[in-house]
Amino acid sequence: MKSLLVLLLLVSINPLSQAKEIAITFDDSPRMAKGYFSGPERAKKLIAELKKHKVPKVVFFSNSGKLDAEGIRRLEAYSQAGHIIANHTHDHLDFNTTNLKDYIHNVSLADEKLKQFKTFKKLFRYPYLREGDSLEKRDGMRKWLEEHDYINAYITLNNYDWYLESLFQSAFKKDTQLDLKRMRNFYVSVMVESIEYYDEMAQTHLGRSPKHILLLHEMDISALFIGDLVSELRSKGWKIISTEEAYTDKIAEYQSQRTFRYNPGKIGEIAHSKGQKKGLWHKSLDEKYLKTRFNQEVLNSNKIHLKGSGE
């Protein structure tokens, strides 16, 4: 009996036994929509899938420079559905090629324009995850965010879903005979592979699985397959949580002491500080790798036309 109690105690404190938690976010909204879906169709589908699969409110990190009439309606739809609208700069600037003064002005402009949405929150995500390639930029922006009550909306789970979208849209534009089910399986497989990779890295360097934040983009494949991704994650023991809850994790307090010209995300930063120099980016953040898999797993499918393959 004593041995059993000890075993139960060890299991209860073992980080690997804890439920893995993940929040979902979407960058670049309202993103260009001239492919499989129109902008309104994408928003309607994405909202429906999030509701159908009982996903807690997500965050749409938005570029206010895209707020034409259709863009406003799209963000308003997300806001009306209860999801958070947040700051991703006005023009999706690259901080590596922008001075601090201009960058702050651009973020401030977005702040002003995005306040029109009732669910706007002061969360800021750096485009390209680039937080400043010099101490002056990095520290200047950190100071501005703190003074204006903004949270640095870091991510822990990185991927190239935007490149998967480009492969998908290119195939669709060419009217390729594409099996949508194979595209779904490819998407879910790649995403889960990268998620598990970063979670294992976190467990190596933190000794636990933190509350994760997944970076996605507001795109057609997100609308098509977010429900499938959520279902697969839940089947693997993941709990889907809100972004606000995710940012209560202790790693939110961690700030890298060095600058990264190309930022690997919070887990990569922590891993680097612990001495890991390689593998900060998963292999799925490589276009050649993804294109090879796309050609093999999607294009070599049964010849069922995209619009006739069912969802």
Side-chain angles (χ1 to χ4, degrees):
M1 178 63 71
K2 184 177 179 181
S3 298
L4 178 60
L5 290 174
V6 171
L7 177 60
L8 291 174
L9 178 61
L10 288 173
V11 170
S12 68
I13 63 176
N14 183 353
L16 299 181
S17 70
Q18 297 175 1
K20 295 179 289 187
E21 298 177 308
I22 184 171
I24 295 170
T25 65
F26 298 95
D27 280 12
D28 298 358
S29 56
R31 201 173 190 268
M32 181 181 68
K34 293 183 179 180
Y36 187 77
F37 287 132
S38 68
E41 288 171 337
R42 176 193 292 165
K44 182 178 180 180
K45 175 69 171 176
L46 186 48
I47 290 168
E49 288 298 305
L50 292 170
K51 181 178 181 180
K52 177 181 177 181
H53 293 273
K54 296 181 173 59
V55 176
K57 59 184 176 182
V58 304
V59 180
F60 289 92
F61 289 96
S62 305
N63 302 120
S64 58
K66 300 175 182 176
L67 293 182
D68 58 12
E70 189 277 321
I72 291 174
R73 288 195 298 271
R74 207 188 313 174
L75 289 197
E76 186 62 34
Y78 295 138
S79 183
Q80 288 290 340
H83 301 298
I84 294 170
I85 306 300
N87 194 329
H88 198 44
T89 74
H90 181 71
D91 294 311
H92 202 272
L93 293 185
D94 181 349
F95 206 4
N96 286 352
T97 59
T98 309
N99 65 53
L100 177 61
K101 181 180 178 181
D102 289 345
Y103 197 82
I104 288 176
H105 173 73
N106 207 263
V107 176
S108 299
L109 183 59
D111 175 81
E112 189 61 35
K113 290 182 176 294
L114 292 169
K115 285 178 180 177
Q116 66 182 285
F117 302 103
K118 67 177 183 179
T119 58
F120 173 74
K121 299 287 185 183
K122 287 200 169 188
L123 301 170
F124 175 70
R125 177 165 295 159
Y126 292 86
Y128 312 103
L129 306 180
R130 294 172 187 173
E131 300 187 11
D133 56 347
S134 70
L135 290 176
E136 177 194 9
K137 288 183 180 181
R138 186 200 70 183
D139 294 343
M141 196 59 202
R142 283 180 180 178
K143 180 181 179 182
W144 188 92
L145 292 174
E146 182 177 358
E147 289 175 346
H148 291 80
D149 299 318
Y150 262 93
I151 292 174
N152 178 354
Y154 64 87
I155 62 103
T156 63
L157 303 171
N158 205 353
N159 58 76
Y160 268 14
D161 71 328
W162 57 268
Y163 186 65
L164 302 185
E165 173 83 354
S166 70
L167 293 172
F168 171 79
Q169 296 291 0
S170 178
F172 175 61
K173 184 177 181 181
K174 295 175 183 178
D175 200 29
T176 301
Q177 299 295 303
L178 189 68
D179 188 332
L180 194 59
K181 291 182 179 179
R182 284 184 178 268
M183 183 67 208
R184 176 195 64 199
N185 293 340
F186 168 65
Y187 171 83
V188 171
S189 174
V190 169
M191 298 304 296
V192 171
E193 185 180 272
S194 65
I195 289 167
E196 291 180 338
Y197 178 83
Y198 287 109
D199 187 54
E200 289 173 7
M201 188 189 300
Q203 292 183 39
T204 296
H205 297 291
L206 296 173
R208 66 185 180 91
S209 178
K211 297 179 188 296
H212 282 291
I213 298 100
L214 175 64
L215 167 62
L216 297 175
H217 291 82
E218 192 244 20
M219 307 180 302
D220 290 355
I221 59 171
S222 303
L224 284 168
F225 306 128
I226 187 63
D228 300 292
L229 177 58
V230 166
S231 295
E232 181 67 12
L233 288 170
R234 284 176 172 149
S235 75
K236 290 179 174 292
W238 288 88
K239 177 184 178 183
I240 313 300
I241 62 174
S242 71
T243 310
E244 291 172 305
E245 181 180 350
Y247 284 126
T248 66
D249 195 280
K250 291 290 289 182
I251 65 170
E253 301 172 7
Y254 173 83
Q255 293 196 93
S256 174
Q257 296 304 303
R258 61 152 292 175
T259 59
F260 288 88
R261 184 168 179 81
Y262 304 107
N263 194 292
K266 185 72 77 174
I267 299 304
E269 288 183 344
I270 293 171
H272 188 275
S273 73
K274 299 285 188 179
Q276 181 176 332
K277 306 304 180 185
K278 296 182 179 180
L280 300 179
W281 286 266
H282 182 243
K283 63 183 179 180
S284 63
L285 279 79
D286 177 84
E287 294 178 20
K288 183 177 179 180
Y289 169 79
L290 291 175
K291 189 170 185 179
T292 297
R293 283 194 58 180
F294 178 79
N295 289 338
Q296 293 174 345
E297 299 175 32
V298 181
L299 296 188
N300 290 345
S301 63
N302 293 328
K303 293 185 179 297
I304 301 176
H305 193 273
L306 183 62
K307 284 188 173 292
S309 58
E311 295 181 16

